[in-house]
Amino acid sequence: MLTVENTKAWLLRFAEKVEANKAHLSDLDSVIGDGDHGNNMARGIKAMQEALESKEASDPADVLKNASMALLSKIGGASGPLYGSAFLDMSKQAKEDASDVSAIFRAGLSGIQKRGKAEPGEKTMVDVWHPVIKALESGELTTDTITDAVEATKPLKATKGRASYLGERSIGELDPGAVSSSYLFEAWLEGED
Amino acid sequence: MKKIINQPSQVVDEMLKGFVYANDERVERVPETSVIVRKDKKKGEVALVSGGGSGHEPAHAGFVGDGMLTAAVSGEVFTSPSPDQVLEGIKAADQGAGVLLIIKNYTGDVMNFEMAKELAEAEGIEVEQLVVDDDIAVEDSTHTAGRRGVAGTVIVHKMLGAAAKRGLSLKEVKELGDKLVPNIKSIGVAMTAATVPEVGKPGFTLEENEMEYGVGIHSEPGYHRTSIKSSSEIATELVGKLKDAFEFGDNEHYGLLVNGLGATPLMEQYIFAHDVEKQLEHEPIKIEFKKVGNLMTSLDMNGVSLTLVKLQDDWADLWYDPVHVTDW
């Protein structure tokens, strides 16, 4: 069950993780992208923190919508629309039913896929969202599920986004978007303890 | 890094301020945004909006004005503008006949402009989009994000801007664009990479005696790194690539663009253009129009790109229609 309080707390934990790993995300992105994922995400979550603190929210859907708008306008690049779409569609689902968290995450994944047109196995953030939601639906989500999903992007060959131009050379590297997505789910799990 | 700037984080905002100061008889900036819009909007004309990351000047704000773009949206250096900025651009540009978005094919640009299109449609503005993917250095396959949009985008601005000014409907301008884009192909060469102000060092390193064919306008890797060649040898390589891509046929008509990537003097661009001319003399095709200069740059990259457009119908007339923009 999402509430205004636990949604805000979850997103603020997500923000802390991104901020703490900003350089790590940019380093990963330098290898297979254009090296700005950490800075872009940090700019976005800073705007999200400000929005969460300053904007009124009457339900968890509002919290997610405020987060979406901040991420959308401040991350930039491809990650802005992807995270922005995820949060916007999670907000719409939370408006319908704030009690079913896996349905809310599932709506977020569908928002990402609608925007980015990626399927599982293309070395993108979808490769974390997809297995994590499956595990959550069957009540088996642990931090290991998340870590394994991130690690599983390593042997994949990128066929979407800037990394796709590297072809075979993308094999053996972690996908930066998968890593930043893992922080979102780790932050969620920490609230469930 | 030697650059005439103040704070690296402020370069885009300060550039736009300077651009408006220099051209305020023609353009204005929508307050609180990175949108440059023409002042003399024409009610009932289809509006063209383009944009993308900054660092490609004069693209795209330099092409805002009568006969080309209605508005241009600038993102951070080499970073797509966000959907809310593009939405502001669409709203500022709309002249009541709908808006066509001209997007260079990069994952981020396509997503941000598409989201803006959806937001604008929700506000009741009719919007179409056209994605330009002219860079033949990159393989176009389902295994990549597809060919990148580079200097050929400027040809799209010119042709469609003329079509919109002639009074074509949004549907007709979009259809013309859909026909035009597959007939534009570009290929480039770089002697040095670009230095993004906030990064402070070049995107990649080429030794003093090295150059690279097929480099993208954000320093994306090319297809072949080699020792420095003469202008004549470079023309042979680039014309050869375009010839293979188009499969030149008898009596075909083309337009030609030699584009400086930022740090290559015009002298060298003209030398290269002359070598291109000599290469094309042996081909059965006819060149209807040419243009040489800095049109789609990559900050301070030293290099050039060559673009050809295979002409149909009255496309050459559209090229010669008059324009009143800053950088034509």
Side-chain angles (χ1 to χ4, degrees), chain B residues 46-51 69 71 73 83 85-87 89-91 93 98-104 109-121 125-132 153 156-157 160 170 173-174 178 181:
Chain B
V46 171
L48 303 189
V49 174
S50 192
L69 300 178
V73 191
Q85 292 292 310
V86 181
L87 175 64
I90 293 171
K91 288 201 287 196
V99 177
L100 179 70
L101 301 177
I102 301 170
I103 311 165
K104 301 196 293 301
D109 288 58
V110 172
M111 285 185 207
N112 282 288
F113 277 74
E114 264 179 14
M115 279 201 90
K117 175 175 183 279
E118 289 167 20
L119 295 169
E121 285 167 346
I125 303 174
E126 202 187 346
V127 183
E128 292 283 355
Q129 63 174 50
L130 181 67
V131 177
V132 184
T153 311
V156 178
H157 293 350
L160 298 191
L170 178 60
V173 176
K174 157 78 173 155
D178 285 336
V181 168

Side-chain angles (χ1 to χ4, degrees), chain B residues 267-278:
Chain B
M267 171 189 268
E268 295 170 31
Q269 295 178 37
Y270 284 121
I271 291 169
F272 175 71
H274 172 58
D275 287 314
V276 170
E277 178 195 12
K278 285 196 291 187

Side-chain angles (χ1 to χ4, degrees), chain A residues 72-73 77 81 115 159 164-165, chain B residues 84 112 115 118 138 143-146:
Chain A
L72 199 55
S73 63
R115 187 63 51 204
T159 52
S164 68
Y165 296 122
Chain B
D84 53 323
N112 282 288
M115 279 201 90
E118 289 167 20
V138 174
H143 303 295
T144 69

Side-chain angles (χ1 to χ4, degrees), chain B residues 269-306:
Chain B
Q269 295 178 37
Y270 284 121
I271 291 169
F272 175 71
H274 172 58
D275 287 314
V276 170
E277 178 195 12
K278 285 196 291 187
Q279 283 297 316
L280 289 173
E281 273 169 8
H282 310 299
E283 303 300 335
I285 63 169
K286 183 171 187 303
I287 300 296
E288 293 273 358
F289 62 78
K290 316 120 199 170
K291 191 167 181 70
V292 178
N294 294 328
L295 300 162
M296 179 72 72
T297 61
S298 178
L299 296 170
D300 55 351
M301 181 181 282
N302 184 350
V304 290
S305 66
L306 178 64

